[in-house]
Structure formats: structure tokens, C-alpha cells
Amino acid sequence: MTRAIGIDIGGTGIKGAVVDLAVGELVSERVKHATPEGGVPDDIVSTVRLIVDDLVENHRGDDVTHIGVCFPAIVRNGRTMSAANVSDDWIGLDADARFSEALGRGIHFVNDADAAGYAEVVYGAARDHRGLVIMTTLGTGIGSALIYDGVLIPNSELGHLELDGDDAEHWAANSAREREDLSFERWAERLTRYYRHVEFLFSPDLLVIGGGVSKQHDEFLHLIDVSTPIVPAELRNNAGIMGAAALAQRHSR
Ligand code: BGC
């Protein structure tokens, strides 16, 4: 069995698990810690180390071959080039090297939405889908992943598409719905505008909608008026963990 550890770093929580990559299932419980206040690199690295040690010692992670870590930032060659909901100290940091040093072994570092989207293509809602799949995560921001014929094109950052002079994620993310107390109908009007723009630019074959709010997809997905087939994500909270683990293995090949 090929096992890898996946770690998903977010603005509020950091979670990790051991993943069986052959079947795409977690084979350990999820170990979760709160994201340290301020989100500075040293504190986050220490928390990830606690999680990895725990998984290796207590949760069947002793024979893992790879560790993948996903994070809410543009990641270029292991370096974090932005920082969403964490400290600005991440900007320009060689995260890959920092984590590898602290953990005493190589890791693979990727954007959080890229990990989630990749997992949906390999194991979830877009399994075996050919052509262009675009996954977006609707949360505090909007994360995006572009996967063409199973190959990830990283760092697409479609949450920052500018429409009406403003980043789409400022008015279309789930945080905008909550902040402005929008009904699902009103929110879906904004999402329609956003996804039509995405459709126009990329002509995707499938749109996958993730993020915590995708649990409530019955309330709004059918109201998004686009011509591309649109489906809810399937892997929910585990998508980042699974995708980070799978990308770590793929990267090592
Ligand atoms: C960031 C992305 C991230 C997304 C979801 C956006 O604000 O720019 O890098 O993937 O939020 O966390």
C-alpha cells in the first residue's frame, strides 16, 4: 500500500492525516490543531511538526514515503509568494526548505485550492474527467484549480479575477455572503456573474464547487446560471489533505 501524509494549513486550523493513495482514503484519524495566532512561519512549522510526529508515532504513519503540505498562497518552486489570512512573513519565504529542515525529510509544498482540485479529479467529483476541469473553493476567499486531462496547471488564482474594479473574492466568496447577510438567491446572482466570466475566459468542461458551503449545494448550485456542467465537490474537508498527499507522490516520480 502506498501511503503519504497530507497536511492542510488554513487561516484557522491545521489538519493532517495519513492517506492511502491507491484508493484515496484516509487511513488514520484527522489530527487537527488551531492555527497559531498571527500565523507566523516558525509557529506554523512547529505545529505541522507536532502533527507529523503524532501521525508517524500513533497513527500508522511510520511507513509513509511522502509528505505533502498545502497552504493558502501562490507557491512557486516551493516558495510562498503571497499570504491569505496568515502573516505577511510568508511572502517570498522558501517554505519547502523551512519545512524540510524542521521535519528532517523532504516535503512537497502546494497551493491549497490546487491540492483540493487535484484530489477531486483523482478521487472525487471529477474522477477520470477529461478536458478542462476548474475547481473553485468558496470560503473566506475564492481558491481555484485548473486541471487539464488530469494535469494540474498550478497557481491559477481565479479568486482575484477583477470584475467591476474589484477582486471577485471580495464580493462573491462565501465570506461576502455571510458578511452582507445575502440570501442564497442573491448570492447565486453574483456567482452567476463570476462563473460566466470564468466560462468566457477558459471554456471549461466541468466546474466543481468546493469549500465548506458546498455542503449546502442544494440551496444554491441550481441557481448558478451557466452552460458548463457544475457539480459539488465530494471530498469536503479532506480534499486538501488528499490532494497534498497525492501531489507529493506525483512530484517525486
Ligand atoms: C488566495 C489563494 C487561496 C484561496 C483559498 C485566496 O485568497 O489568494 O492562494 O488558494 O484564497 O484559500
Side-chain angles (χ1 to χ4, degrees):
M1 186 200 294
T2 313
R3 289 179 175 156
I5 287 177
I7 305 281
D8 184 353
I9 301 173
T12 53
I14 303 177
K15 53 199 185 218
V18 180
V19 182
D20 175 347
L21 297 171
V23 287
E25 275 171 16
L26 304 196
V27 289
S28 74
E29 66 182 70
R30 278 193 320 170
V31 177
K32 188 167 177 180
H33 289 253
T35 304
E37 191 92 21
V40 297
D42 278 348
D43 294 344
I44 290 190
V45 170
S46 306
T47 306
V48 169
R49 191 171 162 185
L50 280 180
I51 295 175
V52 170
D53 287 349
D54 190 4
L55 290 170
V56 168
E57 283 159 29
N58 308 319
H59 297 282
R60 309 169 64 199
D62 45 327
D63 60 349
V64 291
T65 39
H66 304 293
I67 300 179
V69 181
C70 70
F71 187 81
I74 296 169
V75 183
R76 294 190 68 177
N77 302 320
R79 207 173 266 278
T80 38
M81 308 305 289
S82 61
N85 306 308
V86 285
S87 152
D88 282 351
D89 293 353
W90 289 91
I91 300 173
L93 186 83
D94 191 346
D96 211 315
R98 254 311 166 92
F99 279 87
S100 299
E101 198 182 313
L103 298 174
R105 55 164 137 184
I107 61 129
H108 184 56
F109 210 80
V110 293
N111 171 265
D112 56 355
D114 280 343
Y118 188 70
E120 291 292 341
V121 167
V122 179
Y123 305 116
R127 198 172 32 244
D128 301 328
H129 212 283
R130 310 282 300 173
L132 182 61
V133 176
I134 298 186
M135 154 94 164
T136 43
T137 57
L138 301 172
T140 309
I142 297 181
S144 65
L146 250 58
I147 297 108
Y148 184 73
D149 278 357
V151 177
L152 172 72
I153 300 145
N155 297 311
S156 48
E157 292 291 334
L158 300 185
H160 298 284
L161 275 181
E162 211 178 286
L163 273 167
D164 299 333
D166 197 4
D167 266 19
E169 69 175 22
H170 290 156
W171 49 268
N174 190 45
S175 57
R177 179 184 71 85
E178 290 173 342
R179 192 175 57 240
E180 298 180 46
D181 200 17
L182 298 175
S183 64
F184 278 110
E185 288 75 15
R186 292 300 300 277
W187 188 43
E189 287 169 13
R190 295 187 184 187
L191 292 175
T192 295
R193 180 151 162 60
Y194 173 63
Y195 287 115
R196 280 192 182 168
H197 193 55
V198 169
E199 228 177 7
F200 172 67
L201 293 176
F202 297 98
S203 303
D205 296 291
L206 182 70
L207 291 168
V208 181
I209 310 301
V213 71
S214 66
K215 272 204 294 273
Q216 288 161 272
H217 61 89
D218 283 349
E219 304 272 5
F220 68 95
L221 219 62
H222 63 286
L223 300 173
I224 302 175
D225 187 10
V226 288
S227 47
T228 310
I230 184 165
V231 294
E234 279 177 12
L235 304 172
R236 302 275 154 81
N237 273 336
N238 294 334
I241 293 176
M242 291 169 64
L247 283 165
Q249 186 206 32
R250 189 184 164 101
H251 183 73
S252 71
R253 276 196 247 138

